[in-house]
Amino acid sequence: MDHFPTNWGRPRNDAFDAYATHPIHQRPYNGPKDTFADGVQRTQQPIVTGTSVLAIKYKDGVMMAADNLASYGSLARFKDVQRLHQVGNYTVIGAGGDMSDFQYIQYILEELSVEEISAQDGHELGPVEIHEYMSQVMYARRSKMNPLWNSLLIAGFKDGKRFLSFVDLLGTTYTASTLATGYGAYIAQPLLRKAVEGREDIITEEEARKILEDSMRVLFYRDARSLNKFQIATISSAGVSISDSMQLDTTWSFAEDIRGYGAQTQ
Amino acid sequence: MTSIGTGYDLSASTYSPDGRIFQVEYANKAVENSGTAIGLRVKDGVVLAVEKLVHSKLLVPGANRRIQTIDRHIGMASAGLLADGRKISQLAREEGSKIRKMWREPLTVKALSDRISLGAQAYTLYSSVRPFGVSTIFGGVDKSGPSLYIVEPSGVCLGYHGAAVGKGRQLAKTELEKLKLSELSMREAVMEAARIIYLVHDDNKEKEFELEMTWVGDESNDLHLPVPDDLLEEAKSRAKAALETFE
């Protein structure tokens, strides 16, 4: 008995599966076929990828950090990629995941911005609108079985309000006072929560920067797809500023004392 | 008009025996009936200004704008039929979008006005359409620096240092010619543009007008934006003062 209703009444291909013994989820499709179906390709996996993006709320606004690496598998392929992108006057969008999909996102947001500017209606796109728009785009694309393979953080400051929210390739959204994507969601998020939660209105800009730098250092130690070269975006009442690339001091002397795995001889 | 009754003016696709296309000339008449629009291409940017005639006191101030934004860095001022101007701006924005999609870079003012002029020219060829009843000034700053172009109903597209279209264009042109446009700063250009618009406005025929003014260049961070209110007010009061001494 075929318990899969969508297969009922469909012609069976006796040459291939005379007794319908194939597992249901592998049942061959014997209906009409689109001639060009093989020519349509969808993103099945990310190719050139960015790793974690971190963001926290602080006293004056929101701060976001991401490194400058775009990996090709495990190869550190591009080391000067900017993964923080300003949209309009109030918003920064940071991306992990497929970098070509992120470039496409930058393009559609540019198109959206110009459309809004030329309307000249006195309204400006803020972080809330951009997050809503991106969540709709991401969900629409996943529903077409053709997702944009990214995790996005959207941070902004408009009309005296901080904004920080997340969207991913499934169209899932959530918001919190600390957010991290990718490997950072496991390694950095607990550190960020410990440092920030309950203190969002106390943390100064210097403190916030230190929290992010410390988390980026931990990520560089632990995440094999990360780079010791990153940028920090600050979004506050003063507007958006994305820093130049910077480096962190790291110490590796402990490595020679590690025993139990690796290449040591004793 | 000698053309009337001859039958040569019934279609844009018909020449008169002396080689004119009357429908295009009528389109130019529509432009001449409209308030003046000027553009100044100066050292570090472009200033657009329009004498927007207000035909009813019931209109909300600022309604029926005649200067529009095409892209971040390009503005457009039109003289003639307002609705035709809006169609031109729609086409221009679509062009910006196409260029961005194909080349992933911003549109240049020259490429834009060339493209729009081809469309305008096509509307002088067929009996089924009428030519655009607008002359359009495109101004902006792109990779080649500040640019200023006019597209006319005939489809002619030319670049200018100083551009004037509409009712008061003759006087405006003679005033523009007196200026050293390539040495002016944007702020100075705003003052001159306001002065020229106030000068060409004919108080006897039309009573009310609004001065619309925008700029693109160093002062506006290469964005097409309205001239700030305080500067606009200063330009207006200086223009009025200059008018006293001129007469």
Side-chain angles (χ1 to χ4, degrees):
Chain A
M1 170 71 192
D2 187 345
H3 295 279
F4 201 54
T6 50
N7 275 342
W8 296 347
R10 289 185 189 239
R12 211 176 57 202
N13 188 339
D14 286 336
F16 179 74
D17 185 23
Y19 301 100
T21 52
H22 261 257
I24 281 165
H25 63 275
Q26 284 179 23
R27 182 74 32 88
Y29 171 72
N30 297 314
K33 199 179 163 194
D34 184 344
T35 317
F36 297 103
D38 293 339
V40 177
Q41 295 190 10
R42 297 187 163 101
T43 310
Q44 306 284 343
Q45 56 177 333
I47 306 296
V48 177
T49 57
T51 182
S52 328
V53 186
L54 312 179
I56 56 174
K57 287 186 181 173
Y58 71 101
K59 186 162 66 80
D60 310 319
V62 195
M63 208 177 268
M64 195 189 282
D67 69 22
N68 292 113
L69 179 66
S71 306
Y72 182 70
S74 59
L75 172 70
R77 182 68 181 82
F78 304 103
K79 296 184 175 182
D80 57 353
V81 168
Q82 202 186 100
R83 297 199 289 125
L84 302 175
H85 175 68
Q86 182 176 347
V87 183
N89 297 321
Y90 310 101
T91 313
V92 168
I93 177 163
D98 194 277
M99 286 296 104
S100 60
D101 282 354
F102 179 49
Q103 288 176 348
Y104 172 74
I105 287 168
Q106 291 175 31
Y107 163 73
I108 58 173
L109 288 174
E110 168 73 7
E111 196 70 14
L112 180 74
S113 302
V114 170
E115 200 176 302
E116 291 297 321
I117 286 167
S118 51
Q120 292 175 293
D121 53 7
H123 295 287
E124 289 182 278
L125 281 182
V128 180
E129 291 78 28
I130 289 165
H131 176 258
E132 182 61 29
Y133 182 81
M134 277 322 300
S135 67
Q136 296 289 331
V137 168
M138 299 301 268
Y139 180 67
R141 287 293 296 261
R142 84 101 222 195
S143 299
K144 289 179 189 164
M145 300 286 277
N146 189 198
L148 293 169
W149 216 286
N150 297 102
S151 301
L152 304 170
L153 295 190
I154 291 151
F157 192 97
K158 187 167 181 258
D159 304 328
K161 287 197 198 99
R162 299 173 293 200
F163 180 87
L164 176 58
S165 211
F166 170 96
V167 199
D168 69 6
L169 74 168
L170 302 173
T172 320
T173 62
Y174 48 84
T175 182
S177 52
T178 71
L179 285 177
T181 73
Y183 205 57
Y186 304 100
I187 297 291
Q189 181 70 302
L191 303 172
L192 296 176
R193 284 185 183 152
K194 197 172 176 190
V196 174
E197 271 182 353
R199 302 181 58 237
E200 292 88 351
D201 298 320
I202 305 165
I203 297 169
T204 62
E205 186 174 334
E206 293 73 42
E207 242 184 300
R209 190 173 296 273
K210 172 120 188 348
I211 292 168
L212 284 181
E213 283 175 358
D214 287 346
S215 302
M216 289 305 280
R217 184 183 291 109
V218 171
L219 278 173
F220 179 56
Y221 281 137
R222 294 290 172 185
D223 180 0
R225 307 283 171 269
S226 69
L227 191 66
N228 187 21
K229 185 182 166 199
F230 67 101
Q231 285 170 290
I232 287 183
T234 43
I235 311 104
S236 64
S237 56
V240 172
S241 88
I242 299 178
S243 74
D244 290 337
S245 293
M246 45 195 165
Q247 284 203 299
L248 285 170
D249 296 325
T250 47
T251 319
W252 294 96
S253 54
F254 63 89
E256 48 194 80
D257 300 325
I258 294 174
R259 290 291 177 274
Y261 60 89
Q264 71 272 9
T265 49
Q266 46 163 337
Chain B
M1 268 198 275
T2 52
S3 54
I4 295 171
T6 60
Y8 295 119
D9 65 348
L10 295 177
S11 154
S13 68
T14 307
Y15 281 111
S16 79
D18 48 354
R20 292 153 62 188
I21 297 164
F22 288 122
Q23 282 295 325
V24 171
E25 294 184 19
Y26 297 161
N28 280 314
K29 291 276 180 216
V31 176
E32 283 168 31
N33 288 331
S34 137
T36 317
I38 60 171
L40 288 78
R41 192 189 108 171
V42 293
K43 196 171 51 184
D44 49 357
V46 172
V47 174
L48 298 175
V50 159
E51 170 209 14
K52 187 174 72 190
L53 301 172
V54 179
H55 62 271
S56 164
K57 281 192 162 42
L58 297 174
L59 284 167
V60 177
N64 297 328
R65 272 195 304 256
R66 280 175 51 199
I67 302 187
Q68 307 202 61
T69 302
I70 301 306
D71 208 322
R72 288 178 198 283
H73 61 299
I74 300 177
M76 178 196 113
S78 66
L81 305 177
L82 191 66
D84 282 22
R86 295 216 176 103
K87 177 68 185 180
I88 296 271
S89 72
Q90 184 201 356
L91 293 171
R93 284 173 191 147
E94 283 170 8
E95 187 61 22
S97 175
K98 277 185 211 163
I99 296 290
R100 209 172 12 259
K101 183 168 190 190
M102 178 94 90
W103 304 104
R104 299 290 147 116
E105 65 175 30
L107 181 69
T108 64
V109 185
K110 184 178 162 57
L112 171 66
S113 31
D114 271 354
R115 234 350 168 62
I116 296 299
S117 74
L118 290 177
Q121 194 275 147
Y123 277 23
T124 68
L125 296 172
Y126 305 99
S127 58
S128 54
V129 290
R130 66 169 170 79
F132 280 111
V134 279
S135 274
T136 315
I137 304 177
F138 290 104
V141 175
D142 53 39
K143 58 189 175 189
S144 63
S147 322
L148 186 67
Y149 287 83
I150 296 182
V151 176
E152 292 174 23
S154 62
V156 159
C157 169
L158 293 166
Y160 291 87
H161 281 101
V165 291
K167 201 174 296 220
R169 71 192 178 290
Q170 285 305 344
L171 183 51
K173 277 182 193 167
T174 49
E175 286 298 314
L176 284 168
E177 280 168 16
K178 291 179 194 165
L179 303 171
K180 288 205 165 91
L181 285 165
S182 51
E183 291 168 23
L184 245 47
S185 73
M186 285 175 73
R187 281 177 179 275
E188 288 165 336
V190 164
M191 298 301 157
E192 295 297 342
R195 186 180 64 76
I196 293 171
I197 292 294
Y198 271 82
L199 180 67
V200 300
H201 178 69
D202 192 343
D203 279 323
N204 302 322
K205 284 188 188 148
E206 291 97 9
K207 288 210 178 64
E208 293 294 318
F209 80 101
E210 276 176 24
L211 172 62
E212 246 184 86
M213 195 148 48
T214 61
W215 62 5
V216 204
D218 290 357
E219 296 276 356
S220 68
N221 208 220
D222 284 355
L223 298 175
H224 179 245
L225 295 172
V227 169
D229 285 339
D230 52 343
L231 191 65
L232 186 66
E233 288 310 315
E234 188 193 338
K236 277 186 192 170
S237 54
R238 280 220 220 165
K240 284 173 195 159
L243 214 55
E244 306 280 309
T245 56
F246 187 83
E247 282 159 354

